[in-house]
Amino acid sequence: MPKVHFLDVTNRDGVQTARTGLSKFGKTMVNFYLAKLGVAQSEIGFPFLFHEVPYVRAQVALAEAGAFGSLRLSGWCRGVPQDVEKAAPLGLKHYNLSISTSDYMIQNKFRGRLDREAIIREMTAAVRVAKDAGALTVGVNAEDGSRTDDAFLLEFALAAKQAGADRVRYCDTIGGDTPDRIRERFAKLAAGTSMPVETHCHNDLGMAVANSVSGALGDLDAGQDAWINTCVNGVGERSGNADLLSTILAFRHGFGLETARIGDALNMEWARRFGLWASYALGQPLPYNQVGVGRNAFAHESGIHADGALKDHGNYELYDEATLGPFPDDWHTRSGRVVLTGEYGGKSGFRHVMDGLGVEVTDEDLSFRLVQLCNAMTGRPLTDDELRLIAAYPDELSLMFPGY
């Protein structure tokens, strides 16, 4: 039975969002929360970039130490051999390799530098380099796939498969697709290649979630597994990407997709902590009406709504808020007299906070130094989950700070 899987791209597409940013420690926490949620895979970033190298090494070490459970870590590279050659020594076992495929981008982005034949040649060479380096899975991204004609999409995907690729990512790069069209195209491409087709949908028309769900259903129609790209809180370039929580809830409550069809062991009790942490870390306030985690997501005021909700919340709520887990109540948010630990703190404050959280610190000196370094990196008070991760995996996290 074909299944639905989630491949979150917050640490790649999400961090590219204009007018925002996320520290390398913040990206580490994204992987931590995705693992807690039970998501299958995280696209952790750009392993060919020099400033990502210490961070990637730390993520690989954390994964090997069990910090991320069964979460698979993948790197994003351009679909050219040189990027993969730079990334390969870091030890990632999963990749997505991206190159533009539409005639529009061939003409207006490449401007004669690459044609269709060259695109396939570069892409297949990159896939072979990744597989020869020991990659377990490779996805090939058709950037601007929604503006790429069916014939070339099929040719591109089949060439990728022959080179060793495991999936093809259909990118609605400009967010102009529609649910009916994308479901039909996914079913056709998945059937023609006997490969899963991965959704990557932007929200320029407000339909990223609808398109992602529809594309995935097209995969299932063709008897193939579905892989869906998401971002926490729907962050991403321009109007954002498909929101992780919204997409999960749409499958469960909109389409009634039974648990057996969702291949990831999802634990929604971490959804609220993740969404609110991400808002805090990214510096992006959540809209009041943000699905599931917005301030008004379960608020009622008008007479008939209030009356009905008081009698039975199911009168006006599609799902129970308790399924999304508790609201964070972090140490640093306490009112009144409070002692914190951070960049300029000392050992007494560090011990006071860790003892108050009930955290066992195995290497006090290294953990204390990491608290200082991570606080300096984020520029904001560290959360309880962040402090717990530091205390649990100081050796692995220290790889993000060469020389310390």
mmCIF file with all atom_site columns, all heavy atoms in Angstrom, residues 294-314:
data_model
loop_
_atom_site.group_PDB
_atom_site.id
_atom_site.type_symbol
_atom_site.label_atom_id
_atom_site.label_alt_id
_atom_site.label_comp_id
_atom_site.label_asym_id
_atom_site.label_entity_id
_atom_site.label_seq_id
_atom_site.pdbx_PDB_ins_code
_atom_site.Cartn_x
_atom_site.Cartn_y
_atom_site.Cartn_z
_atom_site.occupancy
_atom_site.B_iso_or_equiv
_atom_site.pdbx_formal_charge
_atom_site.auth_seq_id
_atom_site.auth_comp_id
_atom_site.auth_asym_id
_atom_site.auth_atom_id
_atom_site.pdbx_PDB_model_num
ATOM 1   N N   . GLY A 1 294 ? -2.306  29.412 16.206 1.00 0.00 ? 294 GLY A N   1
ATOM 2   C CA  . GLY A 1 294 ? -2.595  30.840 16.345 1.00 0.00 ? 294 GLY A CA  1
ATOM 3   C C   . GLY A 1 294 ? -3.396  31.120 17.613 1.00 0.00 ? 294 GLY A C   1
ATOM 4   O O   . GLY A 1 294 ? -4.101  30.248 18.138 1.00 0.00 ? 294 GLY A O   1
ATOM 5   N N   . ARG A 1 295 ? -3.319  32.356 18.097 1.00 0.00 ? 295 ARG A N   1
ATOM 6   C CA  . ARG A 1 295 ? -3.976  32.714 19.351 1.00 0.00 ? 295 ARG A CA  1
ATOM 7   C C   . ARG A 1 295 ? -5.487  32.506 19.298 1.00 0.00 ? 295 ARG A C   1
ATOM 8   O O   . ARG A 1 295 ? -6.132  32.209 20.304 1.00 0.00 ? 295 ARG A O   1
ATOM 9   C CB  . ARG A 1 295 ? -3.648  34.171 19.684 1.00 0.00 ? 295 ARG A CB  1
ATOM 10  C CG  . ARG A 1 295 ? -4.091  34.617 21.064 1.00 0.00 ? 295 ARG A CG  1
ATOM 11  C CD  . ARG A 1 295 ? -3.591  36.016 21.362 1.00 0.00 ? 295 ARG A CD  1
ATOM 12  N NE  . ARG A 1 295 ? -3.963  36.440 22.709 1.00 0.00 ? 295 ARG A NE  1
ATOM 13  C CZ  . ARG A 1 295 ? -3.683  37.639 23.216 1.00 0.00 ? 295 ARG A CZ  1
ATOM 14  N NH1 . ARG A 1 295 ? -3.027  38.524 22.491 1.00 0.00 ? 295 ARG A NH1 1
ATOM 15  N NH2 . ARG A 1 295 ? -4.059  37.944 24.440 1.00 0.00 ? 295 ARG A NH2 1
ATOM 16  N N   . ASN A 1 296 ? -6.067  32.657 18.125 1.00 0.00 ? 296 ASN A N   1
ATOM 17  C CA  . ASN A 1 296 ? -7.520  32.526 17.986 1.00 0.00 ? 296 ASN A CA  1
ATOM 18  C C   . ASN A 1 296 ? -7.962  31.192 17.398 1.00 0.00 ? 296 ASN A C   1
ATOM 19  O O   . ASN A 1 296 ? -9.135  31.014 17.087 1.00 0.00 ? 296 ASN A O   1
ATOM 20  C CB  . ASN A 1 296 ? -8.060  33.646 17.090 1.00 0.00 ? 296 ASN A CB  1
ATOM 21  C CG  . ASN A 1 296 ? -8.242  34.943 17.850 1.00 0.00 ? 296 ASN A CG  1
ATOM 22  O OD1 . ASN A 1 296 ? -7.927  35.022 19.036 1.00 0.00 ? 296 ASN A OD1 1
ATOM 23  N ND2 . ASN A 1 296 ? -8.745  35.961 17.172 1.00 0.00 ? 296 ASN A ND2 1
ATOM 24  N N   . ALA A 1 297 ? -7.035  30.251 17.251 1.00 0.00 ? 297 ALA A N   1
ATOM 25  C CA  . ALA A 1 297 ? -7.376  28.989 16.584 1.00 0.00 ? 297 ALA A CA  1
ATOM 26  C C   . ALA A 1 297 ? -8.499  28.240 17.292 1.00 0.00 ? 297 ALA A C   1
ATOM 27  O O   . ALA A 1 297 ? -9.244  27.482 16.659 1.00 0.00 ? 297 ALA A O   1
ATOM 28  C CB  . ALA A 1 297 ? -6.133  28.099 16.478 1.00 0.00 ? 297 ALA A CB  1
ATOM 29  N N   . PHE A 1 298 ? -8.646  28.457 18.611 1.00 0.00 ? 298 PHE A N   1
ATOM 30  C CA  . PHE A 1 298 ? -9.713  27.796 19.362 1.00 0.00 ? 298 PHE A CA  1
ATOM 31  C C   . PHE A 1 298 ? -10.476 28.806 20.219 1.00 0.00 ? 298 PHE A C   1
ATOM 32  O O   . PHE A 1 298 ? -10.987 28.471 21.292 1.00 0.00 ? 298 PHE A O   1
ATOM 33  C CB  . PHE A 1 298 ? -9.137  26.682 20.237 1.00 0.00 ? 298 PHE A CB  1
ATOM 34  C CG  . PHE A 1 298 ? -8.454  25.602 19.446 1.00 0.00 ? 298 PHE A CG  1
ATOM 35  C CD1 . PHE A 1 298 ? -7.083  25.647 19.223 1.00 0.00 ? 298 PHE A CD1 1
ATOM 36  C CD2 . PHE A 1 298 ? -9.166  24.553 18.898 1.00 0.00 ? 298 PHE A CD2 1
ATOM 37  C CE1 . PHE A 1 298 ? -6.445  24.664 18.484 1.00 0.00 ? 298 PHE A CE1 1
ATOM 38  C CE2 . PHE A 1 298 ? -8.544  23.570 18.157 1.00 0.00 ? 298 PHE A CE2 1
ATOM 39  C CZ  . PHE A 1 298 ? -7.180  23.622 17.951 1.00 0.00 ? 298 PHE A CZ  1
ATOM 40  N N   . ALA A 1 299 ? -10.560 30.053 19.745 1.00 0.00 ? 299 ALA A N   1
ATOM 41  C CA  . ALA A 1 299 ? -11.238 31.115 20.495 1.00 0.00 ? 299 ALA A CA  1
ATOM 42  C C   . ALA A 1 299 ? -12.640 31.341 19.934 1.00 0.00 ? 299 ALA A C   1
ATOM 43  O O   . ALA A 1 299 ? -12.848 31.296 18.716 1.00 0.00 ? 299 ALA A O   1
ATOM 44  C CB  . ALA A 1 299 ? -10.429 32.407 20.430 1.00 0.00 ? 299 ALA A CB  1
ATOM 45  N N   . HIS A 1 300 ? -13.600 31.604 20.810 1.00 0.00 ? 300 HIS A N   1
ATOM 46  C CA  . HIS A 1 300 ? -14.999 31.807 20.425 1.00 0.00 ? 300 HIS A CA  1
ATOM 47  C C   . HIS A 1 300 ? -15.540 33.059 21.124 1.00 0.00 ? 300 HIS A C   1
ATOM 48  O O   . HIS A 1 300 ? -15.267 33.275 22.305 1.00 0.00 ? 300 HIS A O   1
ATOM 49  C CB  . HIS A 1 300 ? -15.854 30.597 20.823 1.00 0.00 ? 300 HIS A CB  1
ATOM 50  C CG  . HIS A 1 300 ? -15.291 29.286 20.381 1.00 0.00 ? 300 HIS A CG  1
ATOM 51  N ND1 . HIS A 1 300 ? -15.520 28.762 19.142 1.00 0.00 ? 300 HIS A ND1 1
ATOM 52  C CD2 . HIS A 1 300 ? -14.486 28.398 21.021 1.00 0.00 ? 300 HIS A CD2 1
ATOM 53  C CE1 . HIS A 1 300 ? -14.898 27.591 19.029 1.00 0.00 ? 300 HIS A CE1 1
ATOM 54  N NE2 . HIS A 1 300 ? -14.249 27.354 20.157 1.00 0.00 ? 300 HIS A NE2 1
ATOM 55  N N   . GLU A 1 301 ? -16.318 33.864 20.396 1.00 0.00 ? 301 GLU A N   1
ATOM 56  C CA  . GLU A 1 301 ? -16.911 35.035 21.024 1.00 0.00 ? 301 GLU A CA  1
ATOM 57  C C   . GLU A 1 301 ? -18.377 35.209 20.678 1.00 0.00 ? 301 GLU A C   1
ATOM 58  O O   . GLU A 1 301 ? -19.213 35.461 21.557 1.00 0.00 ? 301 GLU A O   1
ATOM 59  C CB  . GLU A 1 301 ? -16.146 36.312 20.640 1.00 0.00 ? 301 GLU A CB  1
ATOM 60  C CG  . GLU A 1 301 ? -16.728 37.561 21.297 1.00 0.00 ? 301 GLU A CG  1
ATOM 61  C CD  . GLU A 1 301 ? -15.968 38.832 20.941 1.00 0.00 ? 301 GLU A CD  1
ATOM 62  O OE1 . GLU A 1 301 ? -14.744 38.751 20.719 1.00 0.00 ? 301 GLU A OE1 1
ATOM 63  O OE2 . GLU A 1 301 ? -16.608 39.891 20.893 1.00 0.00 ? 301 GLU A OE2 1
ATOM 64  N N   . SER A 1 302 ? -18.738 35.113 19.393 1.00 0.00 ? 302 SER A N   1
ATOM 65  C CA  . SER A 1 302 ? -20.117 35.399 18.998 1.00 0.00 ? 302 SER A CA  1
ATOM 66  C C   . SER A 1 302 ? -21.085 34.469 19.730 1.00 0.00 ? 302 SER A C   1
ATOM 67  O O   . SER A 1 302 ? -20.741 33.337 20.089 1.00 0.00 ? 302 SER A O   1
ATOM 68  C CB  . SER A 1 302 ? -20.291 35.244 17.485 1.00 0.00 ? 302 SER A CB  1
ATOM 69  O OG  . SER A 1 302 ? -20.246 33.886 17.113 1.00 0.00 ? 302 SER A OG  1
ATOM 70  N N   . GLY A 1 303 ? -22.299 34.957 19.932 1.00 0.00 ? 303 GLY A N   1
ATOM 71  C CA  . GLY A 1 303 ? -23.271 34.276 20.776 1.00 0.00 ? 303 GLY A CA  1
ATOM 72  C C   . GLY A 1 303 ? -23.485 32.815 20.444 1.00 0.00 ? 303 GLY A C   1
ATOM 73  O O   . GLY A 1 303 ? -23.369 31.935 21.305 1.00 0.00 ? 303 GLY A O   1
ATOM 74  N N   . ILE A 1 304 ? -23.828 32.530 19.184 1.00 0.00 ? 304 ILE A N   1
ATOM 75  C CA  . ILE A 1 304 ? -24.152 31.143 18.852 1.00 0.00 ? 304 ILE A CA  1
ATOM 76  C C   . ILE A 1 304 ? -22.920 30.244 18.925 1.00 0.00 ? 304 ILE A C   1
ATOM 77  O O   . ILE A 1 304 ? -23.009 29.079 19.293 1.00 0.00 ? 304 ILE A O   1
ATOM 78  C CB  . ILE A 1 304 ? -24.829 31.038 17.465 1.00 0.00 ? 304 ILE A CB  1
ATOM 79  C CG1 . ILE A 1 304 ? -23.938 31.604 16.365 1.00 0.00 ? 304 ILE A CG1 1
ATOM 80  C CG2 . ILE A 1 304 ? -26.181 31.722 17.474 1.00 0.00 ? 304 ILE A CG2 1
ATOM 81  C CD1 . ILE A 1 304 ? -24.479 31.333 14.968 1.00 0.00 ? 304 ILE A CD1 1
ATOM 82  N N   . HIS A 1 305 ? -21.752 30.810 18.580 1.00 0.00 ? 305 HIS A N   1
ATOM 83  C CA  . HIS A 1 305 ? -20.519 30.021 18.660 1.00 0.00 ? 305 HIS A CA  1
ATOM 84  C C   . HIS A 1 305 ? -20.155 29.732 20.109 1.00 0.00 ? 305 HIS A C   1
ATOM 85  O O   . HIS A 1 305 ? -19.801 28.610 20.470 1.00 0.00 ? 305 HIS A O   1
ATOM 86  C CB  . HIS A 1 305 ? -19.373 30.747 17.960 1.00 0.00 ? 305 HIS A CB  1
ATOM 87  C CG  . HIS A 1 305 ? -19.405 30.631 16.467 1.00 0.00 ? 305 HIS A CG  1
ATOM 88  N ND1 . HIS A 1 305 ? -18.457 29.932 15.751 1.00 0.00 ? 305 HIS A ND1 1
ATOM 89  C CD2 . HIS A 1 305 ? -20.277 31.115 15.554 1.00 0.00 ? 305 HIS A CD2 1
ATOM 90  C CE1 . HIS A 1 305 ? -18.743 29.997 14.454 1.00 0.00 ? 305 HIS A CE1 1
ATOM 91  N NE2 . HIS A 1 305 ? -19.843 30.716 14.309 1.00 0.00 ? 305 HIS A NE2 1
ATOM 92  N N   . ALA A 1 306 ? -20.193 30.773 20.948 1.00 0.00 ? 306 ALA A N   1
ATOM 93  C CA  . ALA A 1 306 ? -19.845 30.590 22.357 1.00 0.00 ? 306 ALA A CA  1
ATOM 94  C C   . ALA A 1 306 ? -20.786 29.591 23.020 1.00 0.00 ? 306 ALA A C   1
ATOM 95  O O   . ALA A 1 306 ? -20.359 28.696 23.762 1.00 0.00 ? 306 ALA A O   1
ATOM 96  C CB  . ALA A 1 306 ? -19.884 31.933 23.081 1.00 0.00 ? 306 ALA A CB  1
ATOM 97  N N   . ASP A 1 307 ? -22.086 29.736 22.745 1.00 0.00 ? 307 ASP A N   1
ATOM 98  C CA  . ASP A 1 307 ? -23.065 28.830 23.338 1.00 0.00 ? 307 ASP A CA  1
ATOM 99  C C   . ASP A 1 307 ? -22.799 27.390 22.912 1.00 0.00 ? 307 ASP A C   1
ATOM 100 O O   . ASP A 1 307 ? -22.785 26.467 23.742 1.00 0.00 ? 307 ASP A O   1
ATOM 101 C CB  . ASP A 1 307 ? -24.480 29.254 22.924 1.00 0.00 ? 307 ASP A CB  1
ATOM 102 C CG  . ASP A 1 307 ? -25.543 28.294 23.441 1.00 0.00 ? 307 ASP A CG  1
ATOM 103 O OD1 . ASP A 1 307 ? -25.781 28.294 24.665 1.00 0.00 ? 307 ASP A OD1 1
ATOM 104 O OD2 . ASP A 1 307 ? -26.107 27.547 22.620 1.00 0.00 ? 307 ASP A OD2 1
ATOM 105 N N   . GLY A 1 308 ? -22.556 27.185 21.622 1.00 0.00 ? 308 GLY A N   1
ATOM 106 C CA  . GLY A 1 308 ? -22.313 25.840 21.118 1.00 0.00 ? 308 GLY A CA  1
ATOM 107 C C   . GLY A 1 308 ? -21.017 25.251 21.645 1.00 0.00 ? 308 GLY A C   1
ATOM 108 O O   . GLY A 1 308 ? -20.960 24.073 22.008 1.00 0.00 ? 308 GLY A O   1
ATOM 109 N N   . ALA A 1 309 ? -19.960 26.074 21.705 1.00 0.00 ? 309 ALA A N   1
ATOM 110 C CA  . ALA A 1 309 ? -18.668 25.571 22.170 1.00 0.00 ? 309 ALA A CA  1
ATOM 111 C C   . ALA A 1 309 ? -18.701 25.219 23.648 1.00 0.00 ? 309 ALA A C   1
ATOM 112 O O   . ALA A 1 309 ? -18.035 24.270 24.084 1.00 0.00 ? 309 ALA A O   1
ATOM 113 C CB  . ALA A 1 309 ? -17.589 26.604 21.889 1.00 0.00 ? 309 ALA A CB  1
ATOM 114 N N   . LEU A 1 310 ? -19.454 25.991 24.427 1.00 0.00 ? 310 LEU A N   1
ATOM 115 C CA  . LEU A 1 310 ? -19.569 25.693 25.851 1.00 0.00 ? 310 LEU A CA  1
ATOM 116 C C   . LEU A 1 310 ? -20.285 24.370 26.086 1.00 0.00 ? 310 LEU A C   1
ATOM 117 O O   . LEU A 1 310 ? -19.983 23.635 27.031 1.00 0.00 ? 310 LEU A O   1
ATOM 118 C CB  . LEU A 1 310 ? -20.308 26.829 26.566 1.00 0.00 ? 310 LEU A CB  1
ATOM 119 C CG  . LEU A 1 310 ? -19.503 28.122 26.756 1.00 0.00 ? 310 LEU A CG  1
ATOM 120 C CD1 . LEU A 1 310 ? -20.405 29.257 27.205 1.00 0.00 ? 310 LEU A CD1 1
ATOM 121 C CD2 . LEU A 1 310 ? -18.360 27.912 27.762 1.00 0.00 ? 310 LEU A CD2 1
ATOM 122 N N   . LYS A 1 311 ? -21.240 24.061 25.217 1.00 0.00 ? 311 LYS A N   1
ATOM 123 C CA  . LYS A 1 311 ? -21.969 22.795 25.357 1.00 0.00 ? 311 LYS A CA  1
ATOM 124 C C   . LYS A 1 311 ? -21.114 21.615 24.900 1.00 0.00 ? 311 LYS A C   1
ATOM 125 O O   . LYS A 1 311 ? -21.096 20.553 25.533 1.00 0.00 ? 311 LYS A O   1
ATOM 126 C CB  . LYS A 1 311 ? -23.259 22.858 24.545 1.00 0.00 ? 311 LYS A CB  1
ATOM 127 C CG  . LYS A 1 311 ? -24.288 23.835 25.110 1.00 0.00 ? 311 LYS A CG  1
ATOM 128 C CD  . LYS A 1 311 ? -25.467 24.008 24.161 1.00 0.00 ? 311 LYS A CD  1
ATOM 129 C CE  . LYS A 1 311 ? -26.500 24.975 24.759 1.00 0.00 ? 311 LYS A CE  1
ATOM 130 N NZ  . LYS A 1 311 ? -27.564 25.302 23.782 1.00 0.00 ? 311 LYS A NZ  1
ATOM 131 N N   . ASP A 1 312 ? -20.408 21.794 23.797 1.00 0.00 ? 312 ASP A N   1
ATOM 132 C CA  . ASP A 1 312 ? -19.549 20.734 23.252 1.00 0.00 ? 312 ASP A CA  1
ATOM 133 C C   . ASP A 1 312 ? -18.646 21.401 22.221 1.00 0.00 ? 312 ASP A C   1
ATOM 134 O O   . ASP A 1 312 ? -19.137 21.900 21.188 1.00 0.00 ? 312 ASP A O   1
ATOM 135 C CB  . ASP A 1 312 ? -20.386 19.638 22.598 1.00 0.00 ? 312 ASP A CB  1
ATOM 136 C CG  . ASP A 1 312 ? -19.548 18.474 22.084 1.00 0.00 ? 312 ASP A CG  1
ATOM 137 O OD1 . ASP A 1 312 ? -18.385 18.702 21.680 1.00 0.00 ? 312 ASP A OD1 1
ATOM 138 O OD2 . ASP A 1 312 ? -20.040 17.342 22.085 1.00 0.00 ? 312 ASP A OD2 1
ATOM 139 N N   . HIS A 1 313 ? -17.339 21.440 22.470 1.00 0.00 ? 313 HIS A N   1
ATOM 140 C CA  . HIS A 1 313 ? -16.443 22.172 21.559 1.00 0.00 ? 313 HIS A CA  1
ATOM 141 C C   . HIS A 1 313 ? -16.513 21.634 20.141 1.00 0.00 ? 313 HIS A C   1
ATOM 142 O O   . HIS A 1 313 ? -16.208 22.340 19.172 1.00 0.00 ? 313 HIS A O   1
ATOM 143 C CB  . HIS A 1 313 ? -15.007 22.156 22.080 1.00 0.00 ? 313 HIS A CB  1
ATOM 144 C CG  . HIS A 1 313 ? -14.353 20.799 22.066 1.00 0.00 ? 313 HIS A CG  1
ATOM 145 N ND1 . HIS A 1 313 ? -13.822 20.242 20.931 1.00 0.00 ? 313 HIS A ND1 1
ATOM 146 C CD2 . HIS A 1 313 ? -14.133 19.902 23.057 1.00 0.00 ? 313 HIS A CD2 1
ATOM 147 C CE1 . HIS A 1 313 ? -13.307 19.060 21.207 1.00 0.00 ? 313 HIS A CE1 1
ATOM 148 N NE2 . HIS A 1 313 ? -13.483 18.827 22.500 1.00 0.00 ? 313 HIS A NE2 1
ATOM 149 N N   . GLY A 1 314 ? -16.944 20.371 20.000 1.00 0.00 ? 314 GLY A N   1
ATOM 150 C CA  . GLY A 1 314 ? -17.066 19.807 18.662 1.00 0.00 ? 314 GLY A CA  1
ATOM 151 C C   . GLY A 1 314 ? -18.118 20.466 17.805 1.00 0.00 ? 314 GLY A C   1
ATOM 152 O O   . GLY A 1 314 ? -18.139 20.277 16.583 1.00 0.00 ? 314 GLY A O   1
#
